[in-house]
Amino acid sequence: MPYHARLSAPVRVVGDWHDPAILRHDSWRHELADAAAFAPTLASTLLVDADQGLAVRCGAPPLWVLAKEDASRPIAALADATRIVTSNEVTLWRLGPRDCDRSGGVAPR
């Protein structure tokens, strides 16, 4: 992902980080959850709970989303979603940053 997105710094990862199944399977999610124990402050800013949803876009740099191809329809429907690359049935999407107004609404930048 860092190569295709041309990233030079760690990115936030949205997921259900309280799901105990994460630690039962060897995967990249398991690796991130394990690493959180060694850098809890960094993990608290980078591992974002899914219940926050796309709210992490408010005033932030672009949001990068990895989604299985069969689950990409809601992301593709967003006006500011750009498909970057698809490999092994997983797509990398870029969602543009957004400004949040005082009422809690979100407007594209």
Side-chain angles (χ1 to χ4, degrees):
M1 184 175 135
Y3 172 79
H4 292 292
R6 295 187 170 100
L7 301 174
S8 61
V11 296
R12 291 173 292 170
V13 181
V14 177
D16 184 3
W17 296 108
H18 300 289
D19 182 356
I22 290 174
L23 297 176
R24 289 194 291 259
H25 305 284
D26 189 23
S27 68
W28 61 270
R29 288 178 185 88
H30 184 147
E31 296 297 323
L32 291 178
D34 273 351
F38 297 100
T41 303
L42 183 60
S44 70
T45 61
L46 296 179
L47 301 182
V48 179
D49 286 323
D51 60 357
Q52 292 180 351
L54 297 178
V56 296
R57 294 173 69 189
C58 295
L63 182 65
W64 297 94
V65 178
L66 285 170
K68 291 183 178 179
E69 192 60 26
D70 61 353
S72 288
R73 189 178 311 230
I75 298 162
L78 298 171
D80 60 340
T82 303
R83 181 187 305 254
I84 303 300
V85 66
T86 300
S87 178
N88 297 321
E89 299 181 16
V90 175
T91 300
L92 172 63
W93 296 89
R94 179 192 184 277
L95 302 181
R98 294 198 164 200
D99 291 322
C100 295
D101 65 25
R102 291 185 193 113
S103 68
V106 178
R109 278 191 181 171

